Amino acid sequence: MFKKAVILLLTLVMAVTFAACGSGNNNTTGPTTSAPPADVNLGVVMDQTGALSGIGGSLVKSIQLAVEQANATGGINGANIKLWIEDGKTDPAAGFEAIKKLAQINGCKVIIGPMISGAAMSSGQWALDNKVLLISPSATSPDIAQQAWRQFFIRTATTDDVQGKAMAKIITDAGTNKKVAFMVQNNQYGVGIANAVTAALAGKATIVSTIKYDPVKLDYLSELQQIKAAAPDFIVHAGYEDDAIIVFKQAAQLGLGKPIQWITSEGVKAAKTLTDAQAAAFMAQSVVGTNPVSQGTQFDTFKAAYKAKFNEEPGTYNDTVYDATRLAIAAMKTAGTTDSAKIAAAVLAAGQNYAGASGPITFNQYGDRTSATFEEWGVVQSGSTYTYTQIKLITS
């Protein structure tokens, strides 16, 4: 027993001596190390299925790019950013449930999303009550503007009031006394577009029909026949990919194309909409649209990085969601805390003439972006292929 004890003691002494020598200096104690900081959770609610799946999937990529770039340069004050991604399903109730899961199960105090205005309206009061900051790149309804829960909801896209002016300008540029009909989704998005364009056209055009349709119905012949009976010069449309395909195919069947000019919204501008040859052919003949766009060095840098990583061009709202993510990360660094109220204040402070990929961003007191540049876009045909093309820029 005595020999075993001596051997054990010598072994321990040798181990301590080796450890001290292995430190690479003359200290008799090893270097003091501290554990790396814990990951910082960042939630994401994008619509990867449902009517906006053609847009939502690419928005996730922009978020991932922004987070990857941030983590490569130290994350948030040395902590790695961990993404938690949920599908909003282009549905207000599903978007709300995704937000609650991210906050309650995954511990996310800041969430990029939701995408649609209906989900924002469903989630806003809960976000306020539970102090969860939502930053949306695409919820554009004016109904959100002065809600009581705005302390915890910021958006990097402009409201439909701003886009409505751009759509109205296409009509007024064509002359006076034009007759205008509306074919819009019966939700915050569609009704918001209709109200904004109507206000911008006051005294400049005559509204002859306003149809608010169910986006999941996917049969609109009766609604389109009502519009045809009103004999409009312009039809203002606000929809998403799936319902737009049906609207345009059935409009073609009823002869609601040229000389009638359709003006549609950014929710339609996705690759998926052009996969139906009949709808695409009608769009090439009779449809133009509006869409927020950006130009300049910041956008060029973002576009190059996005294309290098994903081998595709960034699309609608890819730039605003990239800016939303970068602003959230910068604010969390500045706040140095998980206190979402302080992070929200830091986002608003950073968003004053912020040089974003989507252009200069300045927030008003509610957290709404005050200006943007829009494009008027169309569709062109080359053989059997249809693609989007920019016609001109419209500053609103």
Side-chain angles (χ1 to χ4, degrees):
M1 291 293 295
F2 177 77
K3 287 183 179 180
K4 288 182 179 180
V6 170
I7 292 170
L8 178 60
L9 179 61
L10 289 173
T11 301
L12 289 171
V13 170
M14 289 175 67
V16 172
T17 303
F18 178 80
C21 293
S23 66
N25 56 45
N26 295 324
N27 294 335
T28 56
T29 60
T32 301
T33 59
S34 58
D39 290 346
V40 175
N41 293 326
L42 180 62
V44 173
V45 177
M46 293 290 120
D47 299 338
Q48 300 173 80
T49 59
L52 284 177
S53 59
I55 295 175
S58 68
L59 299 196
V60 172
K61 295 177 182 178
S62 287
I63 296 168
Q64 291 170 328
L65 174 62
V67 168
E68 180 182 285
Q69 291 172 335
N71 281 337
T73 56
I76 296 175
N77 302 327
N80 192 64
I81 304 162
K82 183 174 182 179
L83 275 181
W84 297 88
I85 302 170
E86 292 291 326
D87 182 6
K89 302 179 182 179
T90 325
D91 177 77
F96 182 24
E97 291 304 314
I99 285 167
K100 288 194 291 185
K101 178 182 181 296
L102 288 170
Q104 295 175 331
I105 305 301
N106 304 122
C108 300
K109 301 297 288 183
V110 179
I111 295 172
I112 308 301
M115 276 181 63
I116 62 172
S117 298
M121 293 292 283
S122 298
S123 309
Q125 186 61 48
W126 188 90
L128 172 66
D129 294 341
N130 292 273
K131 295 182 171 53
V132 176
L133 175 61
L134 308 178
I135 308 177
S136 175
S138 54
T140 56
S141 171
D143 290 344
I144 295 170
Q146 298 181 30
Q147 295 291 326
W149 36 262
R150 284 309 303 274
Q151 181 186 356
F152 288 93
F153 184 89
I154 296 169
R155 47 186 170 178
T156 51
T158 54
T159 71
D160 293 327
D161 285 337
V162 181
Q163 181 169 206
K165 294 176 183 176
M167 299 176 87
K169 190 174 188 304
I170 297 173
I171 297 170
T172 56
D173 283 351
T176 58
N177 301 319
K178 298 298 182 182
K179 294 186 294 182
V180 180
F182 289 90
M183 180 74 178
V184 299
Q185 290 184 351
N186 189 19
N187 55 25
Q188 276 91 2
Y189 174 60
V191 174
I193 289 282
N195 290 342
V197 177
T198 298
L201 290 176
K204 302 174 183 177
T206 302
I207 310 303
V208 295
S209 180
T210 299
I211 301 295
K212 302 171 185 176
Y213 67 86
D214 180 354
V216 302
K217 180 184 172 186
L218 300 183
D219 180 4
Y220 309 111
L221 280 172
S222 61
E223 290 90 341
L224 289 165
Q225 285 167 342
Q226 293 178 57
I227 287 181
K228 185 175 182 178
D233 301 306
F234 287 86
I235 301 173
V236 175
H237 173 254
Y240 299 150
E241 305 146 25
D242 292 343
D243 51 280
I245 289 173
I246 304 302
V247 167
F248 296 148
K249 288 173 67 173
Q250 293 186 331
Q253 294 171 26
L254 293 176
L256 274 172
K258 287 293 187 182
I260 299 170
Q261 178 67 66
W262 286 69
I263 305 171
T264 192
S265 57
E266 85 287 1
V268 170
K269 192 187 178 191
K272 183 179 179 181
T273 317
L274 300 182
T275 58
D276 186 284
Q278 288 179 288
F282 181 80
M283 291 175 72
Q285 178 197 52
S286 303
V287 180
V288 297
T290 56
N291 183 68
V293 293
S294 3
Q295 294 178 315
T297 303
Q298 296 293 330
F299 176 72
D300 291 343
T301 301
F302 158 69
K303 180 180 177 180
Y306 184 95
K307 190 169 183 179
K309 183 169 179 62
F310 301 112
N311 194 33
E312 63 186 35
E313 298 283 341
T316 302
Y317 291 129
N318 280 74
D319 49 2
T320 56
V321 80
Y322 180 77
D323 287 340
T325 308
R326 285 172 59 85
L327 279 165
I329 292 169
M332 287 189 277
K333 286 181 182 179
T334 299
T337 174
T338 57
D339 185 326
S340 53
K342 292 182 179 178
I343 295 170
V347 171
L348 292 178
Q352 299 301 318
N353 200 29
Y354 173 81
S358 60
I361 296 176
T362 294
F363 295 121
N364 64 15
Q365 68 270 33
Y366 303 110
D368 280 344
R369 185 174 183 163
T370 56
S371 64
T373 297
F374 290 84
E375 67 173 352
E376 178 185 342
W377 54 263
V379 173
V380 294
Q381 181 181 5
S382 177
S384 61
T385 301
Y386 294 88
T387 56
Y388 295 106
T389 185
Q390 185 178 100
I391 299 171
K392 65 182 179 183
L393 296 179
I394 306 171
T395 301
S396 258

